[in-house]
Amino acid sequence: MRTIICLVAAALTLCFSFPLEAARIKDLAKVEGVRDNQLLGYGVVVGLNGTGDSTKSDYTIMSIVNMMRNFGITVNVNDIKPKNVAAVIVTAKLPAFAKPGDTIDINVASVGDAKSIQGGVLLQSPLQAANGDVYAVAQGPVSIGGYSAGGGGGGQQKNHPTAGMVSNGAIVERGTSTALASDGVLRLSLNKPDFTTADRVANRINAVWGGIAMASDAGTVSVSIPGGGHDIVGFIASIEEISVDPDQAAKVVLNERTGTVVMGGNVGISEVAVSQGGLTVTITKSTEVSQPGPFTPGQTVVTGNTETNVQEEKVNLIVLPTSTKVSDVVTALNAAGATPRDIMTILQAMQSAGALHAVIEMI
């Protein structure tokens, strides 16, 4: 079972979780071929309050000219002032099994020198997949989830005013086809490849359905469809509900920016000695005035005195015995007065010494 230890930057805090229950295969893996598809398009946002592209953005001007031409209106390029218009890139994710008429969210981002697309409306923009085919058409009012206002050298801004989204802003025009087990074999792709987890998934499926599953590699489990595959959706649903106790390699995650250390319960150590201490140097400056006695030829002099104090803290030398419990490691380091950033240095040194049996990952 897993135990999670959380070390927060301000203070060393131990967060022990209860033993984790076995996870569903649905949460550990996905069916191969069931995936999102990225869509990309170009469009223009109109109705801006003078915060659009400048006359330096030639593509924005040409977009306006071409749009007007499609409506039978001829305009002079030199007469176009695009301050209320912004050229944008539109992106979206087309989910698996999407059908014509479904709506999806879209993201909109300025590609010119517009100051803000707040309050704008995206005009009809076709969205293409990597193969060049149009799968959706986007249009609608843009929401940036904030604001940008100001003038006269001052202003306020919340969130990013040149990027936003349109909720349900694209209509799917062409659906995606996903072949499930076309060759009679269903393949499950683990979210985090691991040989032990893959073997356990195959064994649990076999325990329920018989010998139909086999781990092909650390990230794939192949499952033969029983009964001719007449009810493949029901079969997949039953597979997803099977519980498996996942496994993973011992890992320590360090975040130097926040001083956070997270360690899994399967992190083990060999016997090792750790010292913890520090040296504090304090420099104090003071000013004194030297005043000569009455009726003497001396002069008043201002002098500065510098006092240096060196204080060495008591060094704590502790011995960490061989253990497989993270709580033992953290408790011992906490008793030594180690801060989260000290913990990071100590763990890295322990790994270099071969005493920490885990992978250290910096984020």
Side-chain angles (χ1 to χ4, degrees):
M1 296 305 173
R2 304 291 183 263
T3 303
I4 303 301
I5 306 300
C6 305
L7 308 179
V8 185
L12 217 59
T13 305
L14 278 65
C15 305
F16 297 95
S17 69
F18 293 102
L20 295 179
E21 296 181 356
R24 301 178 302 172
I25 292 180
K26 184 174 187 176
D27 302 320
L28 298 176
K30 57 182 178 292
V31 177
E32 189 175 279
V34 179
R35 53 183 291 272
D36 295 336
N37 295 273
Q38 295 178 334
L39 302 181
L40 178 68
Y42 170 84
V44 292
V45 173
V46 300
L48 304 178
N49 188 21
T51 59
D53 294 336
S54 67
T55 54
K56 297 180 181 179
S57 300
D58 296 335
Y59 44 83
T60 304
I61 296 177
M62 293 305 301
S63 299
I64 298 174
V65 172
N66 293 335
M67 181 181 62
M68 294 299 183
R69 188 176 299 163
N70 291 335
F71 289 104
I73 302 174
T74 302
V75 295
N76 190 336
V77 175
N78 297 325
D79 294 335
I80 300 296
K81 306 297 181 185
K83 64 179 181 178
N84 292 337
V85 182
V88 294
I89 291 294
V90 186
T91 59
K93 284 186 178 181
L94 183 67
F97 310 111
K99 300 295 187 293
D102 293 346
T103 57
I104 56 177
D105 297 339
I106 61 173
N107 295 309
V108 179
S110 171
V111 294
D113 54 0
K115 297 179 180 178
S116 174
I117 58 174
Q118 178 184 359
V121 177
L122 174 70
L123 299 184
Q124 191 177 85
S125 306
L127 301 180
Q128 300 177 341
N131 59 6
D133 294 337
V134 175
Y135 281 81
V137 177
Q139 182 171 278
V142 179
S143 172
I144 65 173
Y147 57 84
S148 176
Q156 292 185 348
Q157 174 179 316
K158 180 180 179 181
N159 293 343
H160 204 62
T162 54
M165 69 168 294
V166 182
S167 180
N168 296 323
I171 300 177
V172 176
E173 299 294 336
R174 176 183 298 183
T176 57
S177 58
T178 302
L180 295 175
S182 58
D183 58 352
V185 178
L186 181 72
R187 293 175 178 83
L188 303 176
S189 298
L190 297 184
N191 298 330
K192 292 185 178 181
D194 183 86
F195 285 106
T196 304
T197 302
D199 183 65
R200 290 178 181 177
V201 169
N203 291 336
R204 289 289 295 121
I205 294 175
N206 289 333
V208 177
W209 285 90
I212 63 173
M214 180 185 67
S216 304
D217 52 49
T220 307
V221 177
S222 299
V223 184
S224 299
I225 304 297
H230 299 296
D231 185 16
I232 188 171
V233 174
F235 174 70
I236 294 176
S238 65
I239 291 294
E240 288 182 333
E241 291 301 318
I242 296 176
S243 297
V244 177
D245 186 12
D247 194 36
Q248 62 181 4
K251 180 181 292 187
V252 178
V253 180
L254 308 179
N255 189 328
E256 192 172 3
R257 296 188 305 273
T258 61
T260 303
V261 181
V262 179
M263 295 186 287
N266 53 355
V267 175
I269 64 166
S270 298
E271 187 171 356
V272 64
V274 178
S275 64
Q276 171 68 22
L279 187 69
T280 302
V281 179
T282 304
I283 300 177
T284 305
K285 292 184 178 181
S286 60
T287 302
E288 296 182 358
V289 178
S290 178
Q291 180 70 31
F295 307 108
T296 60
Q299 297 181 350
T300 301
V301 177
V302 178
T303 61
N305 293 329
T306 301
E307 182 180 356
T308 303
N309 295 320
V310 179
Q311 181 180 1
E312 185 175 8
E313 297 178 3
K314 180 182 178 182
V315 177
N316 297 316
L317 181 62
I318 60 175
V319 176
L320 301 177
T322 300
S323 174
T324 58
K325 295 182 179 180
V326 177
S327 58
D328 296 339
V329 179
V330 177
T331 300
L333 294 178
N334 194 16
T339 66
R341 298 192 185 278
D342 293 333
I343 293 285
M344 293 184 183
T345 304
I346 291 172
L347 291 176
Q348 290 173 333
M350 289 172 62
Q351 186 190 49
S352 299
L356 180 67
H357 309 308
V359 176
I360 292 183
E361 178 179 335
M362 300 290 295
I363 61 174

